[in-house]
């Protein structure tokens, strides 16, 4: 179990975004239709018309934000001699001083944060020789001698004619023959061009269209229920290569919706001929419905030193405001033969998985379920109005259990409804208020009910914790129990916390075998 992870990833020190929102005092000008007729009267609609109509249809509406929120998104991975570096958008306030952190790992289990001298929205980084180049939404190209900087500006992208090109959601791609490419755009269409590898800000080919919004493909529709045919916000492209085949991934559906997802096309050329050769979006319909999960939004595929194809993706929360997001990670496979040869197969996970490169009998999934889902088995020392303990395991990240303000020793017990062997847990914390920073760490203990003695025994002691995890995943020696008890001891920044989800992972297969209920 020490070699497992679970989504969302417990990435330390994610940025905090503080957007204050409240309802207007009256409904005057809410659902204002004054700007809509001009859009409806167009003889021909395009994808751009649909986006315009959506904007005009939401005039006067607002969003309530109760608390600040952790956020990280638009993940871009780089493999540097076996170390994976992961870049991301963060709070996106005061860019280019956005999220200045890049995280590195060699085992996918321990992530080390590195502070850079600047941070970009939707960053991309490529290594060409001994130089590293970074760019982001409508930024110059930056260069450095290290994947963590310091970064210095080279200037903006330039068209072959010398004109400045300002682009969003950019991604570099260095081909195996040393040629360098750029894909970009926020909204349809996705564009591509070749760059000078000796001067990556310089385009040496005119941009061409690689992907356009297709309203006939439902996964591209915007919104949680995919009901809007008129426009799809296609963005977050990445060009990469596996063997002799080129892949182009794009995100669509809107980063403010939990159905934000990723699709893939393939070609035998880097800048033309892309076709849909597989079921999109990635991972759709293959999830284990035993815990909270979204679809996989704007992210990045990377081949690691062992040849694993790892997909890092945006995991949308979108409660406090629509840029509340997290990190998801899963291993993908390329189908080697048959009618689906070359298609990328990814199963989005929400239960413990072995880290890339680890296998048990050829499987990544260790066969555990989220057992803390019995809606009637809970107890808490207190609860704030409207935040009762049911919400701490209701499989929704839009709700949470919150102790009463007067509770000096918040305690939360979750029962399983039967007896299980458990070996891992995930606590998705809800930090409350607007004063906490990315360094706020929660201190707590987790115990289990020892059945023979009917007493609480220790599982995890984080009473002196100083690492700021939003989703805290812990493993422990396997025990047989029917309940766990969480004691919240406080935080390093003395802010109140609740629990979005307390997920406990276990199995009763071996117990059933031991008792003769089933044969092994």
């Amino acid at each position: 179990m020490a070699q497992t992870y679970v989504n969302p990833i417990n990435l330390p020190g994610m940025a905090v975004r503080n957007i204050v929102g409240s309802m207007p005092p009256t409904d005057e000008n809410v659902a204002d239709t004054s700007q809509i007729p001009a859009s409806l009267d167009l003889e021909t609609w395009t994808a751009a018309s649909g986006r315009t109509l959506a904007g005009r249809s939401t005039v006067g509406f607002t969003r309530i934000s109760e608390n600040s929120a952790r956020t990280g998104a638009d993940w871009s991975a780089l493999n540097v001699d076996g170390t994976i570096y992961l870049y991301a958008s963060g709070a996106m306030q005061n860019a280019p001083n956005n999220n200045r952190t890049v995280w590195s790992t060699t085992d996918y289990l321990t992530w080390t944060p590195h502070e850079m001298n600047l941070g970009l929205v939707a960053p991309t980084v490529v290594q060409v020789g001994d130089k590293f180049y970074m760019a982001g939404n409508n930024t110059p190209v930056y260069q450095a001698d290290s994947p963590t900087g310091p970064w210095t500006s080279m200037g903006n992208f330039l068209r072959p004619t010398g004109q400045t090109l300002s682009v969003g959601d950019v991604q570099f791609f260095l081909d195996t023959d040393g040629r360098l490419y750029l894909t970009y755009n926020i909204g349809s269409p996705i564009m591509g061009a070749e760059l000078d590898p000796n001067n990556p800000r310089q385009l040496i080919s005119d941009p061409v269209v690689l992907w356009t919004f297709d309203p006939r493909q439902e996964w591209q529709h915007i919104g949680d229920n995919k009901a809007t045919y008129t426009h799809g916000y296609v963005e977050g492209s990445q060009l990469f290569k596996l063997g002799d085949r080129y892949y182009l991934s794009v995100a669509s559906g809107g980063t403010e919706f939990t159905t934000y997802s990723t699709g893939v096309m393939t070609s035998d050329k880097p800048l033309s001929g892309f076709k849909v050769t597989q079921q999109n979006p990635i991972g759709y319909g293959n999830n284990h419905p035993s815990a909270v999960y979204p679809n996989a939004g704007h992210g990045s595929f990377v081949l690691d030193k062992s040849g694993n194809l790892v997909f890092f993706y945006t995991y949308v929360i979108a409660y406090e405001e629509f840029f509340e997001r997290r990190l998801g990670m899963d291993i993908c496979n390329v189908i080697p033969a048959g009618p689906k040869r070359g298609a990328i197969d990814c199963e989005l996970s929400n239960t413990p998985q072995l880290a890339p490169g680890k296998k048990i009998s050829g499987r990544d999934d260790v066969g555990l379920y989220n057992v803390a889902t019995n809606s009637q088995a809970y107890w808490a020392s207190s609860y704030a109005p409207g935040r009762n303990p049911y919400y701490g395991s209701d499989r929704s990240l839009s709700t949470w259990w919150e102790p009463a303000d007067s509770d000096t020793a918040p305690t939360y017990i979750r029962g399983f409804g039967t007896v299980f062997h458990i070996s891992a847990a995930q606590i998705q914390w809800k930090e409350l208020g607007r004063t906490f920073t990315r360094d706020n760490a929660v201190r707590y203990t987790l115990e289990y009910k020892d059945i023979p003695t009917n007493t609480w025994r220790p599982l995890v002691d984080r009473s002196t914790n100083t690492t700021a995890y939003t989703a805290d995943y812990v493993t422990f020696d396997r025990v047989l129990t029917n309940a766990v008890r969480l004691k919240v001891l406080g935080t390093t920044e003395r802010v109140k916390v609740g629990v979005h989800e307390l997920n406990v992972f276990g199995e009763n297969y071996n117990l059933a075998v031991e008792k003769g209920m089933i044969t092994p």
Side-chain angles (χ1 to χ4, degrees), residues 295-337:
N295 283 324
H298 186 162
S300 175
F301 295 86
V302 66
L303 273 175
D304 68 12
K305 64 180 180 181
S306 301
N308 300 300
L309 179 62
V310 186
F311 181 30
F312 298 99
Y313 53 85
T314 297
Y315 191 117
V316 178
I317 308 298
Y319 176 81
E320 297 293 354
E321 47 92 24
F322 64 79
F323 284 141
E324 185 181 3
R325 300 168 292 182
R326 305 281 190 271
L327 169 64
M329 176 185 78
D330 280 301
I331 307 166
C332 301
N333 299 297
V334 179
I335 297 176

Side-chain angles (χ1 to χ4, degrees), residues 180-234:
L180 183 64
Y181 298 91
L182 178 74
T183 61
Y184 63 90
N185 227 355
I186 302 177
S188 185
I190 298 300
M191 306 294 292
E194 186 172 358
L195 301 173
D196 181 351
N198 298 310
N199 180 19
R201 62 186 290 239
Q202 181 64 60
L203 276 68
I204 58 175
S205 73
D206 290 323
V208 295
V209 174
L210 301 181
W211 180 306
T212 57
F213 167 63
D214 183 354
R216 294 165 297 182
Q217 296 187 40
E218 186 178 72
W219 73 270
Q220 293 184 34
H221 297 175
I222 201 164
D224 276 324
N225 294 314
K226 299 297 184 185
T228 304
Y229 279 80
T230 57
H231 66 293
Y233 210 70
V234 182

Side-chain angles (χ1 to χ4, degrees), residues 11-18 67-73 75 89-91 103 315-327 429-433 436-442 466-471 491-493 495 497 500:
L11 199 65
M14 285 180 28
V16 174
R17 185 172 166 90
N18 185 7
N67 309 277
S68 295
R70 298 282 180 147
T71 185
W75 309 95
S89 298
W103 294 267
Y315 191 117
V316 178
I317 308 298
Y319 176 81
E320 297 293 354
E321 47 92 24
F322 64 79
F323 284 141
E324 185 181 3
R325 300 168 292 182
R326 305 281 190 271
L327 169 64
W429 297 108
K430 179 60 178 178
E431 295 159 293
L432 301 165
F436 63 91
T437 75
R438 67 177 185 174
D439 298 318
N440 182 52
V442 183
T466 57
T467 302
Y469 289 129
T470 301
T491 76
T492 55
E493 297 184 355
V495 301
V497 294
H500 272 303

Side-chain angles (χ1 to χ4, degrees), residues 364-385:
D364 306 312
D365 191 302
V366 296
L368 301 183
Y369 293 86
N370 179 14
V371 301
T373 56
N374 188 310
S375 62
Q376 302 175 51
Y378 58 77
W379 179 90
S381 55
S382 68
Y383 58 92

Side-chain angles (χ1 to χ4, degrees), residues 129-202:
D130 57 358
K131 292 290 185 181
F132 296 86
Y133 300 96
M134 179 169 70
N137 281 1
N138 305 307
T139 72
V141 177
Y142 298 89
Q143 66 177 349
D145 296 323
S146 160
T148 61
W151 301 95
T152 58
S153 175
M154 300 174 62
N156 290 328
F157 287 106
L158 298 174
R159 296 178 181 271
T161 59
Q163 295 174 306
T164 297
L165 178 66
S166 182
V167 292
D169 276 12
V170 294
Q171 275 287 326
F172 292 119
F173 164 61
L174 183 66
D175 204 345
T176 51
D177 60 5
R179 296 173 74 175
L180 183 64
Y181 298 91
L182 178 74
T183 61
Y184 63 90
N185 227 355
I186 302 177
S188 185
I190 298 300
M191 306 294 292
E194 186 172 358
L195 301 173
D196 181 351
N198 298 310
N199 180 19
R201 62 186 290 239
Q202 181 64 60

Side-chain angles (χ1 to χ4, degrees), residues 339-397:
K340 295 183 178 180
R341 186 183 71 86
I344 293 178
D345 179 35
C346 292
E347 184 171 331
L348 305 186
S349 70
N350 50 68
T351 55
Q353 306 289 307
L354 286 164
K358 308 293 182 181
K359 297 280 186 181
I360 295 178
S361 301
R363 288 175 54 83
D364 306 312
D365 191 302
V366 296
L368 301 183
Y369 293 86
N370 179 14
V371 301
T373 56
N374 188 310
S375 62
Q376 302 175 51
Y378 58 77
W379 179 90
S381 55
S382 68
Y383 58 92
R387 310 289 188 195
N388 80 56
Y390 166 82
Y391 296 122
S393 287
D394 65 345
R395 295 188 290 169
S396 170
L397 291 175

Side-chain angles (χ1 to χ4, degrees), residues 83 85 100-105 112-116 148 438:
T83 297
Y85 290 87
R100 296 189 178 197
T101 302
V102 55
W103 294 267
S104 67
T105 188
T112 302
H114 308 270
E115 191 80 1
M116 301 190 295
T148 61
R438 67 177 185 174

Side-chain angles (χ1 to χ4, degrees), residues 289-292 350-351 368-378 389-396 412-427 446 476 481-486 499-507:
S290 60
V292 178
N350 50 68
T351 55
L368 301 183
Y369 293 86
N370 179 14
V371 301
T373 56
N374 188 310
S375 62
Q376 302 175 51
Y378 58 77
Y390 166 82
Y391 296 122
S393 287
D394 65 345
R395 295 188 290 169
S396 170
Y412 181 49
I413 298 177
R414 197 73 209 185
F416 309 150
T418 187
V419 179
F420 291 91
H421 287 102
I422 64 170
S423 52
Q426 181 195 57
I427 308 166
L446 188 67
F476 38 79
T481 187
N482 69 324
V484 295
R485 180 168 71 175
L486 173 68
V499 175
H500 272 303
E501 292 295 302
L502 172 57
N503 297 323
V504 182
F505 301 103
E507 51 84 17

